[in-house]
Amino acid sequence: MFDNTIDSNIETLYGKNFRHNKPITWKEKIKLYPVIFEYIDEFSSSIECLIYDPMDYEDFTIATLPRLYFLTGVAEYEYTGNIEEYKKNKLRVSLFMKLQMLLQLVLKNQDYDFIKKNKYWLIRLYSNKEKTDYIDINSNDFEELRKIILQQNGCNYSDEFIHNDIKNYLDEENKSNKNGVTITFEDKKEIIMLDLHIQDETIVDKMTIRRVNRICDKSLSRENYVMQTTAAMSGMVTFKQNPNPWFGKSSNNTLFDSYFKETKQV
């Protein structure tokens, strides 16, 4: 099980801002903004750089690097014009580009650069337009930044190590359990509009991704709860246990937990 101390500290420090969809001030200098639904396509693509498991990478010497160095290592090829090496590392190049897109989304008008210190590439975040005030993000800082972005935008993720065979099995199980029903970004927007009786879709676009996801989850949970309780009250259907309240806090369990039985100590 991974250490969730960082997660707890982040929720304690910034939870109020998360709940009210406000930007936070990080390192006393840098503003980090929640991404709004208008940019859901860009965000859903770029966030892969924070949730991709480097241990899936084919080169173990690179896979074991801290995530920041795994992502930024290809900057060497870009800044030196080494096109051949750049082309050989298509996956890391793609993730590096997604990191840049994500930084633009969460930093808004704040500038950043990639700089090399010793043998590794860091991120330099500027707090003013003149670029005279800045902080350099090392691998430990980046892990904190990563957790903030994921929590600030309501991403469901897990840092637990899962063997690739199990991942593939869970993916297949998940596909078979969906029964062909997929909720698209457009569906989510329409769910919000119907649930809140909104006709102007730009109102949803200005909501944060975190808020849209939470409203959608609660709306679908409430519909399921009402359907189950109505069926139970009719006397025609009996459930093994009472329906879970739709308004409660979501479980912190990962998506893998339901597939494994708890190991009991003898």
Side-chain angles (χ1 to χ4, degrees):
M1 186 71 69
F2 66 95
D3 182 7
N4 63 358
T5 304
I6 296 180
D7 302 61
S8 300
N9 291 340
I10 287 173
E11 191 64 36
T12 299
L13 288 172
Y14 309 118
K16 183 176 180 180
N17 297 68
F18 293 168
R19 290 189 291 275
H20 294 284
N21 299 304
K22 302 293 185 183
I24 69 166
T25 302
W26 185 53
K27 300 287 187 181
E28 301 182 352
K29 294 183 179 183
I30 305 301
K31 290 278 190 180
L32 298 176
Y33 294 85
V35 183
I36 60 175
F37 193 73
E38 181 178 0
Y39 302 113
I40 183 63
D41 292 283
E42 294 85 347
F43 179 80
S44 63
S45 172
S46 62
I47 199 64
E48 183 186 3
C49 68
L50 300 189
I51 59 179
Y52 174 80
D53 187 354
M55 296 305 294
D56 288 342
Y57 193 68
E58 57 187 1
D59 187 335
F60 187 72
T61 59
I62 295 177
T64 52
L65 290 173
R67 183 180 293 270
L68 174 62
Y69 306 145
F70 172 81
L71 292 172
T72 59
V74 293
E76 181 78 28
Y77 313 136
E78 179 175 321
Y79 281 64
T80 59
N82 192 336
I83 304 300
E84 291 303 316
E85 285 299 322
Y86 202 76
K87 290 179 178 179
K88 289 179 183 177
N89 291 269
K90 291 183 179 180
L91 173 61
R92 291 175 68 207
V93 167
S94 173
L95 292 173
F96 181 58
M97 294 175 65
K98 290 178 179 182
L99 173 62
Q100 295 176 67
M101 182 190 300
L102 184 63
L103 289 174
Q104 291 173 11
L105 289 173
V106 301
L107 293 174
K108 289 196 172 181
N109 296 321
Q110 299 164 108
D111 291 323
Y112 67 89
D113 282 322
F114 296 100
I115 62 164
K116 189 175 184 180
K117 282 193 175 181
N118 299 320
K119 61 184 294 188
Y120 296 116
W121 287 79
L122 312 181
I123 304 174
R124 175 167 289 178
L125 302 179
Y126 299 99
S127 58
N128 61 4
K129 284 296 182 182
E130 296 74 25
K131 294 188 175 183
T132 56
D133 195 15
Y134 59 83
I135 57 174
D136 291 339
I137 305 303
N138 60 28
S139 59
N140 290 331
D141 293 328
F142 186 75
E143 282 307 306
E144 182 179 347
L145 175 64
R146 171 178 176 263
K147 300 282 188 180
I148 290 173
I149 294 174
L150 289 169
Q151 292 190 47
Q152 186 177 38
N153 293 284
C155 296
N156 183 23
Y157 67 98
S158 172
D159 285 334
E160 295 181 74
F161 173 75
I162 303 293
H163 194 278
N164 279 337
D165 289 343
I166 298 178
K167 286 182 184 178
N168 294 334
Y169 169 75
L170 296 182
D171 287 341
E172 291 302 318
E173 283 289 301
N174 192 42
K175 289 178 184 177
S176 63
N177 290 333
K178 281 186 175 180
N179 297 321
V181 178
T182 301
I183 299 178
T184 66
F185 298 144
E186 188 173 16
D187 291 329
K188 287 191 173 185
K189 176 184 281 192
E190 291 167 349
I191 289 171
I192 298 293
M193 293 177 69
L194 288 170
D195 204 57
L196 300 183
H197 306 288
I198 295 173
Q199 294 184 341
D200 184 359
E201 63 184 84
T202 61
I203 294 176
V204 182
D205 287 335
K206 299 308 176 186
M207 291 182 177
T208 62
I209 293 173
R210 176 185 173 111
R211 183 61 63 222
V212 168
N213 284 336
R214 287 177 64 88
I215 293 175
C216 279
D217 288 344
K218 282 184 168 55
S219 178
L220 296 174
S221 295
R222 182 182 60 190
E223 181 178 340
N224 186 58
Y225 176 81
V226 170
M227 180 180 65
Q228 290 185 350
T229 52
T230 301
M233 291 174 65
S234 70
M236 302 296 291
V237 178
T238 302
F239 294 98
K240 292 182 179 179
Q241 60 184 26
N242 294 329
N244 294 322
W246 61 270
F247 49 81
K249 182 179 179 180
S250 299
S251 169
N252 289 326
N253 293 339
T254 72
L255 64 93
F256 307 111
D257 289 344
S258 60
Y259 293 92
F260 303 99
K261 294 182 180 179
E262 181 180 357
T263 302
K264 297 182 178 180
Q265 299 295 329
V266 179

